[in-house]
Amino acid sequence: MTTAEAMIACNDINAALAFYVDRLGFRVDSIFPADDPVVAVLRGYGLRLRLDPDAPPSPATLRISATDVAAMGGAGRLVAPDGTTVDIVDGDPPLTLPPVQQRFVLERASDDAGWTLGRAGMRYRDLIPDRLGGRFIASHIEIPTAGPVPDYVHFHKIRFQMIYCYRGWVRLVYEDQGEPFVMRAGDCVLQPPRIRHRVLESSDGLQVVEITCPAHHETFADAEMTLPTGAVTPDRDYGGQRFVLHLADDASWVATADGFLRRRFGFTEATDGLAEASVLRPSLDGVAADAERTHDGEFLFLFVLDGGVTLRRAAEADERLHPGDSFAMPARATFALVERSDDLELLEVALPAGA
């Protein structure tokens, strides 16, 4: 069996054992020589430590994420007799949300847009570069080549997250939501907090739009879970939310007062009012299409899926928007969407729902 150890310089094995074993709860895997020990290999918290006088003298730093901080003597920083720093932290601290910092953000799609390489070989384009102070991230994500995706079972520690399929198709599987399924252009999922999932394969040129709060959030691998789980529990509660798979082909359109037809994704009920998302298209029935809008929520984001539209804001030059362009609109700002092409489609995301 092949193993790995972190080496820590140690010249006083008894003092070190008192600290690592008695104080921190590591256990001894091996120790030698028996008559006068100078080396010990310890195991604990997923680590193997080799206490060895021949190790490099630089002190190490260990971080122990404890499920029960009180049982570890409380969170804080300890220093071992050998100089090693040990930070004991809460293994599952509460999710921290940065304060709301709203501003107008307009991002244009272009051939030289700033794509970066992200997790599992996916390409990312940041649609809100300053993340509104860290509160939100909006990403245009692409997988250029068809085939299996080198993903793994994982989950996110988040407040809100959705994925809208913009181009192509992708096959996914979610915890307790049955067998893998294909999400096609126009479909959308609400990923509740901590739901385990995996991306399996995609078409050529898959593109999705992903919205998450907060912007800086942790992604955790779950090597213990195999998906699918064999269970189908559509009403399961994940951190106060339910999983939603919105299928465009099964959805209905509802006319709005500002000349749009709206296809809602059903997030309002699944998130208890935290968020809603929709696709908008012109109603083409003669309703006035220059109505001004405003909102009083914490987040309003629109992404042009197809066609074209002009964004009109008070005291600002008009902006003609095309597919791939997007904007975030701050609360209490007045705007109108005018000169709409017949084939216009917009993705709209609002927190809270109805803002």
Side-chain angles (χ1 to χ4, degrees), residues 5-10 19-20 24 26 47-52 55-64 77-87:
E5 300 166 347
M7 294 183 67
I8 296 177
C10 175
F19 178 78
Y20 288 105
L24 293 183
F26 283 83
L47 293 173
R48 282 171 59 93
L49 305 180
R50 182 183 181 91
L51 309 180
D52 192 325
S58 299
T61 298
L62 303 180
R63 177 182 169 93
I64 298 177
R77 173 163 290 179
L78 305 175
V79 179
D82 51 54
T84 298
T85 299
V86 180
D87 288 338

Side-chain angles (χ1 to χ4, degrees), residues 2-290:
T2 302
T3 61
E5 300 166 347
M7 294 183 67
I8 296 177
C10 175
N11 294 310
D12 186 341
I13 194 69
N14 291 323
L17 290 175
F19 178 78
Y20 288 105
V21 176
D22 300 338
R23 172 65 179 84
L24 293 183
F26 283 83
R27 75 166 191 259
V28 177
D29 262 9
S30 64
I31 187 167
F32 58 92
D35 61 332
D36 186 16
V38 294
V39 175
V41 177
L42 314 180
R43 182 192 300 271
Y45 315 107
L47 293 173
R48 282 171 59 93
L49 305 180
R50 182 183 181 91
L51 309 180
D52 192 325
D54 293 330
S58 299
T61 298
L62 303 180
R63 177 182 169 93
I64 298 177
S65 297
T67 55
D68 186 350
V69 171
M72 297 289 297
R77 173 163 290 179
L78 305 175
V79 179
D82 51 54
T84 298
T85 299
V86 180
D87 288 338
I88 299 175
V89 301
D90 187 346
D92 189 16
L95 184 67
T96 300
L97 293 178
V100 177
Q101 295 183 22
Q102 298 194 44
R103 72 178 188 88
F104 175 73
V105 181
L106 173 63
E107 281 294 308
R108 298 281 189 180
S110 63
D111 292 339
D112 60 351
W115 293 90
T116 60
L117 187 63
R119 192 185 62 81
M122 303 177 190
R123 298 176 68 230
Y124 283 71
R125 182 168 72 93
D126 197 344
L127 303 178
I128 308 178
D130 72 351
R131 314 301 176 70
L132 301 180
R135 186 84 167 193
F136 291 94
I137 182 172
S139 301
H140 185 183
I141 305 171
E142 178 185 47
I143 299 180
T145 305
V149 176
D151 197 14
Y152 44 85
V153 177
H154 65 282
F155 64 96
H156 308 287
K157 188 173 181 179
I158 44 87
R159 175 193 183 211
F160 169 77
Q161 187 171 60
M162 58 158 278
I163 298 177
Y164 177 87
C165 188
Y166 178 33
R167 300 279 192 251
W169 58 263
V170 59
R171 193 161 70 94
L172 309 146
V173 61
Y174 283 84
E175 175 187 5
D176 289 354
Q177 302 303 315
E179 294 298 310
F181 61 88
V182 173
M183 188 165 68
R184 296 179 171 82
D187 298 343
C188 188
V189 291
L190 171 72
Q191 291 187 169
R194 302 175 188 259
I195 187 172
R196 274 62 171 171
H197 57 284
R198 182 180 178 188
V199 182
L200 300 174
E201 64 176 319
S202 76
S203 66
D204 267 330
L206 169 71
Q207 296 183 44
V208 303
V209 177
E210 180 180 281
I211 312 294
T212 307
C213 172
H216 301 289
H217 58 275
E218 293 178 285
T219 296
F220 295 91
D222 189 339
E224 304 301 318
M225 180 172 287
T226 300
L227 297 178
T229 61
V232 182
T233 54
D235 293 328
R236 177 176 168 179
D237 183 288
Y238 302 85
Q241 300 180 29
R242 289 184 290 106
F243 173 78
V244 173
L245 169 60
H246 171 85
L247 300 176
D249 288 347
D250 298 337
S252 58
W253 295 83
V254 177
T256 63
D258 56 356
F260 278 111
L261 297 175
R262 182 181 293 270
R263 169 165 61 92
R264 289 185 172 87
F265 296 165
F267 293 173
T268 302
E269 297 78 14
T271 63
D272 194 24
L274 173 65
E276 186 55 274
S278 311
V279 168
L280 307 177
R281 62 169 54 156
S283 64
L284 306 180
D285 62 359
V287 175
D290 58 356

Side-chain angles (χ1 to χ4, degrees), residues 322-337:
H322 305 279
D325 294 343
S326 63
F327 66 91
M329 187 64 63
R332 294 174 292 282
T334 300
F335 69 100
L337 298 170

